[in-house]
Amino acid sequence: MRLKEGNKGNDILLAAIKVFAESGYHNAKIHKIAELAGVATGSIYVYYKNKETILQRIFEQLWERLYNELAAISRRTDINAIEKFDGLIDLLFDMFIKDPALAVVFVNEQNYLIQKDPKGFTPYYQKFIDLGECIVVEGIDKNAFTPDIDVKIIRSYIFGGLRHLLHQWAQSPEEYSLDSIRENVKYFSKRGLLK
Amino acid sequence: MRLKEGNKGNDILLAAIKVFAESGYHNAKIHKIAELAGVATGSIYVYYKNKETILQRIFEQLWERLYNELAAISRRTDINAIEKFDGLIDLLFDMFIKDPALAVVFVNEQNYLIQKDPKGFTPYYQKFIDLGECIVVEGIDKNAFTPDIDVKIIRSYIFGGLRHLLHQWAQSPEEYSLDSIRENVKYFSKRGLLK
Amino acid sequence: MRLKEGNKGNDILLAAIKVFAESGYHNAKIHKIAELAGVATGSIYVYYKNKETILQRIFEQLWERLYNELAAISRRTDINAIEKFDGLIDLLFDMFIKDPALAVVFVNEQNYLIQKDPKGFTPYYQKFIDLGECIVVEGIDKNAFTPDIDVKIIRSYIFGGLRHLLHQWAQSPEEYSLDSIRENVKYFSKRGLLK
Amino acid sequence: MRLKEGNKGNDILLAAIKVFAESGYHNAKIHKIAELAGVATGSIYVYYKNKETILQRIFEQLWERLYNELAAISRRTDINAIEKFDGLIDLLFDMFIKDPALAVVFVNEQNYLIQKDPKGFTPYYQKFIDLGECIVVEGIDKNAFTPDIDVKIIRSYIFGGLRHLLHQWAQSPEEYSLDSIRENVKYFSKRGLLK
DNA sequence: GATGAATGAGTGTTCATTCAT
DNA sequence: TATGAATGAACACTCATTCAT
């Protein structure tokens, strides 16, 4: 195993997530990331072209992972579209639970990054969104979901609603249990979707 | 005195909205705001303590206006809770249609500002949110909306969904008509809310 | 009498002395001087060309007054050179007692002003210094003071010593009584001067 | 590393002394110091927290050096108090001769710095002053100096006198020889001090 | 004269990025 | 690869001074 030969590139990424979450991307200092990652400032630039690239890589890793997990769910034949939709929502909630700092970065910085350089943003994001759409379309086709909605619109609606809720939760986690939020979201959304 | 030939304080605010929308708050340059406002750099500081204060004032003005309009809707006795809910959604859509730049600023910078200085953020925002909640509660009391949801959670969900949709639209307005988005939101949300 | 028709030019000077004493010339704000003087910022410039001119005028007024008083002492025939020397020292001490703020400005800013614009500095200063020298020379001529010193050098020595002592006292007036300082100065200096 | 090709920290200090002497602390520009030191503007802040810190460091270095030299004199047993007093005066004169720019900074800025941040001012200054006092006290104890003076007061008087004389000389060195000044000071002061 | 809003040149300081070692 | 001292462009903010009223 190559344990303490340590993956510096990844150490930097993990440190960056923490620092971006704490201070926001624009107020984050490179030297603080380096410090937290246990490397010299200059070493950051051995692994990443610049500050923005670090942020891009964070999102690439995030959406690649989420996409792969959603793909696994989507491929399953033992569950129906409704259950797959539940799975999608659980996916996002689980991500937040496992890595709150990453979630904060996602909520706060994704807009900025997409607007700044749409081409540079990871294609996994779009693939994830598309796959989510597929699941809903599948539900409509199977007569489980209502056809009276525009799937692309509702998909964004649900995505934005989730994101905002998770953000609220991240700021004051004591106010609501994530489980309560999760159940309300599922209940409300499915009432909107189900036939 | 050389003041009042056209409310410079407001000129600055309007210019700031444009510049913040274009470049984002953090990349916006004070001198560019001044230029666009037709004012000297130093004059910005006659009207606003610093850059952040300008952003705060933008949100104060925005939420004060929205709150007052929602209050007017809420007070009406000639329409029921469902129609009031429609009114709430129309309010936000209208704001976006009238001032897309303001909407972009709202979507991109509100999180940052609230996190940076929660106390300094306009109380009109919370009042607006609370009033929206009242309308839904009223609907539940009048047996129009389902009581099986947590109003505070769903209120955030809807708010976040709306915000994200409007943001998407602002970035590529040609892809969807705002009216189509508006109708889908109303339809989907009311399916979730109605008894 | 023209009392509350008020001498604004002098009000400004008095305010400036206070503000310069408190914050130092370089950190003093014109608008604070105006506020303290009870006039508008712009009015300062009706009476004085700029900030430096105010400082120059303060020193002009100070040295004109001191010179006239020393001249009166110098002219007297009823006292000898030694008593005149005592009078010179008393003059400076009295100034400090009557107007500590003015004294602080004198100690802190005179060097700066002379170096910045030697030509612009009030000629009363030089006249005062010369007159002090005369008194000592008179003492030497009358065989009261020793001729073994260079009067110009010792005059500066005494002047600097006095200034430093007064400065020390102004910073912590509780540590020494001005009278104790005065007597020590007279005693020590006269030991140095007397034949 | 790119450090140590000639002690940049000290280069900056030397440049700062020159620029402070020429323009005064408040009018000195950081970029000019950098230029003179042959260093980039930003490098100043690698070595010093800010402009004021540079000034503090100048005084620290100055008084540490003077204190150590005076301590060496004070420790000697082969010379009496009178000779030590001469040594003290020579010390200050020598400093001025070797580094007139440093002397100008000392005369012009020490008051400001002490008043602005008394705690931040180098303790070597007080130690120097105290040691000077010791020498005079020793002279009194050994019956060489008169006990009829307050040592603390006269110590300030002498210090201030010296400072002023050196300042005068630095502004127009041609008018008097430093040696003439030095001898007059010694003569006059010792007349005042000796029994 | 008196006002105080408006001005804009000026500057200390930050920090992402570079590069000699 | 790894370092961290060095860089210098960039910018928010200040404030003495002006001038239309």
Side-chain angles (χ1 to χ4, degrees):
Chain A
M1 63 171 188
R2 52 190 153 101
L3 194 66
K4 216 56 205 181
E5 150 201 343
N7 191 330
K8 282 197 188 179
N10 207 251
D11 291 351
I12 291 166
L13 229 49
L14 292 173
I17 290 167
K18 267 190 198 151
V19 177
F20 288 164
E22 265 170 41
S23 324
Y25 173 73
H26 286 95
N27 288 110
K29 316 295 177 221
I30 288 285
H31 93 101
K32 210 177 171 185
I33 295 174
E35 191 184 44
L36 204 64
V39 301
T41 310
S43 302
I44 301 272
Y45 293 85
V46 174
Y47 293 90
Y48 303 95
K49 198 183 142 228
N50 53 31
K51 197 179 173 186
E52 196 172 301
T53 304
I54 301 175
L55 193 59
Q56 287 175 332
R57 191 72 193 92
I58 289 172
F59 278 102
E60 191 172 314
Q61 212 170 73
L62 167 64
W63 287 114
E64 183 177 0
R65 209 176 297 157
L66 285 173
Y67 168 72
N68 286 331
E69 295 186 39
L70 188 58
I73 291 171
S74 177
R75 271 193 303 273
R76 285 172 65 176
T77 52
D78 60 322
I79 55 174
N80 62 26
I82 300 169
E83 290 164 315
K84 288 180 181 176
F85 180 77
D86 278 348
L88 191 164
I89 288 176
D90 285 334
L91 216 53
L92 293 168
F93 274 91
D94 290 347
M95 185 265 288
F96 249 82
I97 290 166
K98 268 188 252 159
D99 196 344
L102 178 58
V104 169
V105 175
F106 153 56
V107 168
N108 285 333
E109 317 298 353
Q110 173 151 327
N111 276 359
Y112 165 76
L113 200 54
I114 293 180
Q115 261 172 278
K116 177 106 191 274
D117 179 15
K119 310 287 177 196
F121 200 78
T122 177
Y124 284 108
Y125 171 58
Q126 193 54 49
K127 291 175 78 175
F128 178 91
I129 293 293
D130 290 344
L131 203 50
E133 191 182 321
C134 280
I135 289 173
V136 175
V137 168
E138 183 191 335
I140 295 172
D141 289 349
K142 296 270 171 69
N143 253 320
F145 291 163
T146 176
D148 299 345
I149 51 164
D150 184 308
V151 176
K152 283 186 197 304
I153 291 173
I154 294 308
R155 147 200 106 174
S156 286
Y157 185 60
I158 292 171
F159 185 78
L162 272 172
R163 194 172 75 168
H164 187 61
L165 269 175
L166 293 170
H167 183 232
Q168 300 269 84
W169 174 79
Q171 284 195 277
S172 39
E174 67 290 340
E175 211 160 330
Y176 284 95
S177 78
L178 255 193
D179 281 329
S180 167
I181 296 172
R182 183 198 306 239
E183 290 319 311
N184 267 278
V185 164
K186 286 183 181 172
Y187 179 74
F188 178 83
S189 304
K190 282 192 287 193
R191 279 175 63 104
L193 287 173
L194 291 176
K195 200 143 197 182
Chain B
M1 57 173 178
R2 279 192 275 174
L3 191 65
K4 273 290 142 53
E5 327 145 334
N7 205 336
K8 286 196 184 181
N10 208 253
D11 291 351
I12 291 166
L13 227 49
L14 293 173
I17 289 168
K18 268 189 197 151
V19 177
F20 288 164
E22 266 171 42
S23 324
Y25 172 73
H26 287 95
N27 287 110
K29 314 299 175 214
I30 288 287
H31 90 100
K32 207 175 174 187
I33 294 175
E35 191 183 46
L36 203 66
V39 149
T41 308
S43 301
I44 301 274
Y45 295 88
V46 174
Y47 292 90
Y48 303 95
K49 196 181 142 237
N50 52 31
K51 201 180 170 185
E52 193 171 305
T53 303
I54 302 176
L55 194 59
Q56 286 175 331
R57 191 75 193 89
I58 289 172
F59 278 103
E60 190 172 315
Q61 212 170 74
L62 167 65
W63 287 114
E64 182 177 3
R65 212 177 292 158
L66 285 174
Y67 169 73
N68 286 331
E69 294 185 41
L70 187 59
I73 291 171
S74 176
R75 270 193 303 270
R76 287 174 62 176
T77 52
D78 58 324
I79 57 174
N80 61 28
I82 301 170
E83 290 164 315
K84 287 180 182 177
F85 180 78
D86 278 347
L88 191 165
I89 289 175
D90 285 334
L91 216 54
L92 293 168
F93 274 91
D94 290 347
M95 185 265 289
F96 253 79
I97 290 166
K98 266 187 254 162
D99 195 344
L102 178 58
V104 169
V105 175
F106 153 57
V107 169
N108 284 334
E109 316 298 352
Q110 174 152 328
N111 278 357
Y112 165 75
L113 200 55
I114 291 180
Q115 263 170 274
K116 176 106 190 272
D117 179 16
K119 309 287 174 195
F121 200 80
T122 177
Y124 284 108
Y125 172 57
Q126 193 54 51
K127 290 174 79 175
F128 179 90
I129 294 293
D130 290 343
L131 203 50
E133 191 182 319
C134 279
I135 290 173
V136 175
V137 168
E138 184 191 335
I140 294 173
D141 290 346
K142 296 268 172 69
N143 255 318
F145 292 162
T146 177
D148 299 343
I149 53 163
D150 184 308
V151 177
K152 281 183 198 305
I153 291 174
I154 294 309
R155 150 198 103 171
S156 286
Y157 185 59
I158 293 172
F159 185 78
L162 272 171
R163 194 172 74 168
H164 187 61
L165 269 176
L166 293 168
H167 183 230
Q168 300 269 82
W169 172 79
Q171 285 196 275
S172 40
E174 67 291 339
E175 209 159 331
Y176 284 94
S177 80
L178 254 193
D179 282 328
S180 166
I181 295 172
R182 185 197 305 240
E183 291 319 311
N184 267 277
V185 164
K186 284 182 182 172
Y187 180 74
F188 177 83
S189 304
K190 282 192 287 193
R191 279 175 61 104
L193 287 172
L194 290 176
K195 204 148 195 179
Chain C
M1 62 174 190
R2 51 191 154 98
L3 193 67
K4 215 58 207 180
E5 148 201 343
N7 192 331
K8 282 197 188 180
N10 207 254
D11 291 350
I12 291 166
L13 227 50
L14 292 174
I17 289 168
K18 269 190 195 150
V19 176
F20 288 163
E22 266 171 40
S23 322
Y25 172 73
H26 286 96
N27 287 110
K29 315 295 177 218
I30 288 286
H31 93 101
K32 209 176 171 188
I33 295 174
E35 192 183 46
L36 204 65
V39 302
T41 308
S43 302
I44 300 272
Y45 292 85
V46 173
Y47 293 89
Y48 302 95
K49 195 184 145 231
N50 53 31
K51 198 179 171 184
E52 195 171 302
T53 304
I54 301 175
L55 194 59
Q56 286 175 331
R57 191 72 193 89
I58 288 171
F59 279 101
E60 190 171 317
Q61 213 171 72
L62 167 66
W63 286 115
E64 183 178 1
R65 211 177 296 156
L66 285 174
Y67 168 73
N68 286 331
E69 295 186 41
L70 187 60
I73 290 171
S74 177
R75 270 193 303 272
R76 286 173 64 176
T77 52
D78 58 325
I79 56 176
N80 62 27
I82 301 171
E83 289 164 316
K84 286 181 183 177
F85 180 77
D86 278 346
L88 191 163
I89 289 176
D90 285 333
L91 216 54
L92 292 168
F93 274 92
D94 290 347
M95 184 265 289
F96 250 82
I97 289 167
K98 269 189 248 159
D99 196 344
L102 177 58
V104 169
V105 174
F106 153 56
V107 169
N108 285 331
E109 317 297 351
Q110 172 151 330
N111 277 358
Y112 165 76
L113 200 55
I114 292 180
Q115 259 172 279
K116 177 105 191 274
D117 179 15
K119 309 286 176 197
F121 200 80
T122 175
Y124 283 109
Y125 173 58
Q126 194 53 51
K127 291 175 79 177
F128 179 92
I129 294 293
D130 290 344
L131 203 48
E133 191 181 320
C134 280
I135 289 172
V136 175
V137 169
E138 184 192 334
I140 295 172
D141 291 346
K142 297 268 175 66
N143 254 318
F145 292 161
T146 177
D148 299 343
I149 52 165
D150 184 308
V151 177
K152 282 185 198 303
I153 290 174
I154 294 309
R155 147 200 106 173
S156 285
Y157 185 60
I158 293 172
F159 185 77
L162 272 172
R163 194 172 77 168
H164 187 62
L165 270 176
L166 293 169
H167 184 232
Q168 300 270 81
W169 174 79
Q171 283 195 280
S172 40
E174 68 289 339
E175 211 160 328
Y176 284 94
S177 78
L178 257 192
D179 281 329
S180 167
I181 296 173
R182 184 197 305 237
E183 291 319 311
N184 268 277
V185 164
K186 285 183 182 172
Y187 179 75
F188 179 84
S189 305
K190 282 191 288 191
R191 279 174 62 104
L193 288 172
L194 290 175
K195 202 144 195 180
Chain D
M1 56 173 179
R2 277 194 277 176
L3 193 64
K4 276 287 142 58
E5 329 144 332
N7 204 334
K8 288 198 184 177
N10 208 252
D11 291 351
I12 291 166
L13 228 49
L14 292 174
I17 290 168
K18 267 190 199 150
V19 177
F20 289 164
E22 265 172 40
S23 325
Y25 173 73
H26 287 95
N27 287 111
K29 313 301 174 211
I30 287 286
H31 91 101
K32 209 176 172 186
I33 294 174
E35 193 183 44
L36 204 64
V39 149
T41 309
S43 300
I44 301 276
Y45 294 87
V46 173
Y47 292 90
Y48 303 94
K49 199 181 141 237
N50 51 32
K51 199 179 171 186
E52 195 172 304
T53 303
I54 302 176
L55 193 59
Q56 285 176 334
R57 191 75 192 89
I58 289 172
F59 279 102
E60 192 172 314
Q61 212 169 75
L62 168 64
W63 287 113
E64 184 178 0
R65 211 176 296 158
L66 285 174
Y67 169 72
N68 286 330
E69 295 187 41
L70 186 58
I73 291 172
S74 178
R75 268 193 304 271
R76 288 174 62 176
T77 51
D78 58 323
I79 56 175
N80 61 26
I82 300 169
E83 289 164 314
K84 287 180 182 178
F85 179 78
D86 278 347
L88 191 164
I89 289 176
D90 285 333
L91 216 54
L92 293 167
F93 274 89
D94 290 346
M95 185 265 289
F96 254 80
I97 289 166
K98 268 188 253 162
D99 195 344
L102 178 58
V104 169
V105 174
F106 153 57
V107 170
N108 284 333
E109 316 298 351
Q110 172 153 326
N111 278 357
Y112 166 75
L113 200 55
I114 291 181
Q115 263 171 278
K116 176 107 190 272
D117 178 16
K119 309 286 175 195
F121 200 81
T122 176
Y124 284 109
Y125 171 58
Q126 192 56 51
K127 290 174 79 177
F128 179 91
I129 294 293
D130 290 342
L131 203 50
E133 191 182 320
C134 280
I135 289 173
V136 175
V137 169
E138 185 192 333
I140 295 174
D141 290 346
K142 297 266 172 69
N143 256 317
F145 292 162
T146 175
D148 300 343
I149 52 164
D150 184 308
V151 177
K152 282 183 197 304
I153 290 175
I154 294 308
R155 147 199 106 175
S156 287
Y157 185 59
I158 293 172
F159 184 79
L162 273 172
R163 193 172 77 169
H164 187 63
L165 269 176
L166 293 168
H167 183 231
Q168 301 268 84
W169 172 79
Q171 285 194 279
S172 39
E174 68 289 341
E175 210 159 331
Y176 284 95
S177 79
L178 255 193
D179 281 329
S180 166
I181 296 172
R182 184 196 305 240
E183 290 319 310
N184 268 277
V185 164
K186 284 182 183 173
Y187 179 75
F188 178 82
S189 303
K190 282 191 287 191
R191 277 176 63 105
L193 286 172
L194 290 174
K195 201 140 196 186

